[in-house]
Amino acid sequence: MDFLTSGYDAYLESFFYTLMLFLVSGVLSLVLGTVLVACRVGPVAVLRVVGGWYVTIVRSTPLVVVFALFQFAAPMLGIRFGWVQVHIGTFDFTSFFAVAVVSLTLYTSTFVCEALRSGINSVPLGQAEAARAIGLTFGGTMSQVILPQAFRASVPPLASALIALIKNTSVAYIFGVGEAVAQMRIMTNNYASERPAIFLTYAAGYIVIVFVFSFFANRLEKHWRTA
Amino acid sequence: MHLMKTKAVLAACGLALSMAACGNAGGGGTGKDLAGKDVSCGDFTGRVAEICKAGKITIGVKFDQPGLGFKSATADEPEGFDVEVAKILAADLGIDSKDVKWVETISDNREPFLQAGKVDLVLASYSITPERRKVVGQAGPYMVTGQQLLVPADSTVKDIADLKGKEVCSVTGSTSIDKINEKGAKGVGFESYSECVQKVLDGTVEAMSTDGTILAGFAAQNEGQLKVVGDPFSEERIGVGYSKDAPEMCTFITDSLKKAFDDGTWAKAFEDTLGPSGVKTPDAPMLDTCQS
């Protein structure tokens, strides 16, 4: 276990990048996913079509292709993220991190949207009708009646989408982000004789993160069910 | 009985050789086919003798490093300095270079491929390190190189000190990334060197860093757009990987390399492959002795 005694800090630092990727793109995905689902179920036909196409196209594209588009094609079209320069201690969040967050967000938000849509479908139609009957606008109906119930009903599929996001952050390793898998590759190259242990140690890191996240998702689900 | 068997093998070797020689007659050009030498497989022992008798060998090389190990989408065979040295080794086993089976080995699968016997040798810009020698055998070095910088042709960057705190790209998981960080720059990793070159060309990063020989290949590929700068700030001893199950391989490789250093085939291979990118042919490196 030489790699852990000499590389323990590197191990933790790399998982910090993984967590940051997850937290930033997770929050943004929830926001964008909610906007998307509002488009998809809303009264404006154009938004419904645009939202539908967006979800269909992005959801069907492999994540690595989305990354490659932003990393290699976008600079040619003048879309760069060079202005992103956040430095916290030894951690750097630059254009490479920004590309990862944008790619992960655009991708994950489609799954968030569909998870929420399944939640909305579970809200009885009478709820929407009643909301409209008392004079609520579409915005009011969504924010005060439909979405709160939809969120409750869609906690399990939302949790699945976000767990997938945790693991999908690993794709960033080939696009310049020093997250867990990138660090793992450094270790497998430096400590050729300890590869099995290195793989297991990194897998354990992801498992811990997913376990903690699932625990809170379960608590939330139970809490809302009894509320 | 034993003698007859040996004779038959020798005859087979001879036949293979003459056929190989015929096949080579039509070839030509630099760094193409190399005919197997007239060798007696009985001079070898163990796995080396087996390969010699079988008349075929599987060698792992890289496919994405111009000048060292590179295979374009349209080519049938890889080319480069690593590949040429591999051909020299094969020839010393009496194997014509056309009978060499080339397998792509990336940095991650070199040890597993050797351990599993998927390849007999690895020549894939494979640095000799004590850690790797715990898992596989490494003979050589046949080249000593060091990490330099590849920058846009109009860049003012002179060496790694100019890049303190700046992002410098290389390949994910490589030792080059560690070295970049040690020198105060920030290493960012991509899947392959060509993607990293792309990021230098589009201006996302100011420089790329890895072994000078690899950079020279890319500079030659993008002539006028990129240049190699700075003194080497690391020392990589590039060697030949073989399985620990075949320790007799080491003596063979070392002898073969020694001959190639002495008779000029090594220098010629270097000039043919890395020469065009402007790298001067260095003196032959000191070979490690084999532990038996």
Side-chain angles (χ1 to χ4, degrees), chain A residues 2 71-72 75-76 80 90 92 94-96 173-176 182 185-186 188-195, chain B residues 107-108 111-112 131-132 134-135 167 172-173 175 177-178 186 188-191 195 198-199 202 204-205:
Chain A
D2 281 350
Q71 195 61 262
F72 298 113
M76 292 179 180
R80 287 156 198 265
T90 55
D92 300 297
T94 58
S95 69
F96 296 99
Y173 91 96
I174 43 172
F175 298 96
R185 295 265 300 238
I186 289 179
T188 53
N189 265 293
N190 288 352
Y191 302 96
S193 59
E194 300 178 34
R195 283 191 176 169
Chain B
S107 295
D108 269 356
E111 292 90 12
E131 175 61 33
R132 283 176 180 154
K134 283 186 198 163
V135 195
E167 284 172 326
T172 307
T175 41
I177 297 254
D178 283 347
K186 311 252 178 191
V188 292
F190 277 83
E191 176 69 358
E195 285 173 352
Q198 189 62 41
K199 297 319 281 178
D202 77 22
T204 311
V205 296

Side-chain angles (χ1 to χ4, degrees), chain B residues 192-209:
Chain B
S192 69
Y193 290 110
S194 32
E195 285 173 352
C196 191
V197 169
Q198 189 62 41
K199 297 319 281 178
V200 178
L201 287 172
D202 77 22
T204 311
V205 296
E206 284 183 44
M208 150 179 183
S209 179

Side-chain angles (χ1 to χ4, degrees), chain B residues 44-52 56 117 120 245-249:
Chain B
F44 303 121
T45 54
R47 183 85 191 107
V48 186
E50 280 172 37
I51 293 170
C52 177
K56 53 185 184 213
D120 298 309
D245 296 338
E248 61 278 4
M249 201 65 104

Side-chain angles (χ1 to χ4, degrees), chain B residues 28-37 57 59 61 77-100 102 121 123 252 256-257 260 265 269 273:
Chain B
T30 52
K32 289 295 169 208
D33 296 328
L34 193 62
K37 285 184 188 160
I57 187 166
I59 301 179
V61 292
E77 285 189 354
E79 55 186 36
F81 183 60
D82 285 348
V83 177
E84 292 310 309
V85 175
K87 285 177 182 173
I88 291 171
L89 295 175
D92 280 342
L93 282 170
I95 300 169
D96 184 86
S97 61
K98 281 202 296 295
D99 294 326
V100 175
W102 303 105
L121 298 174
L123 290 97
F252 160 72
S256 176
L257 288 177
T265 40
T273 51

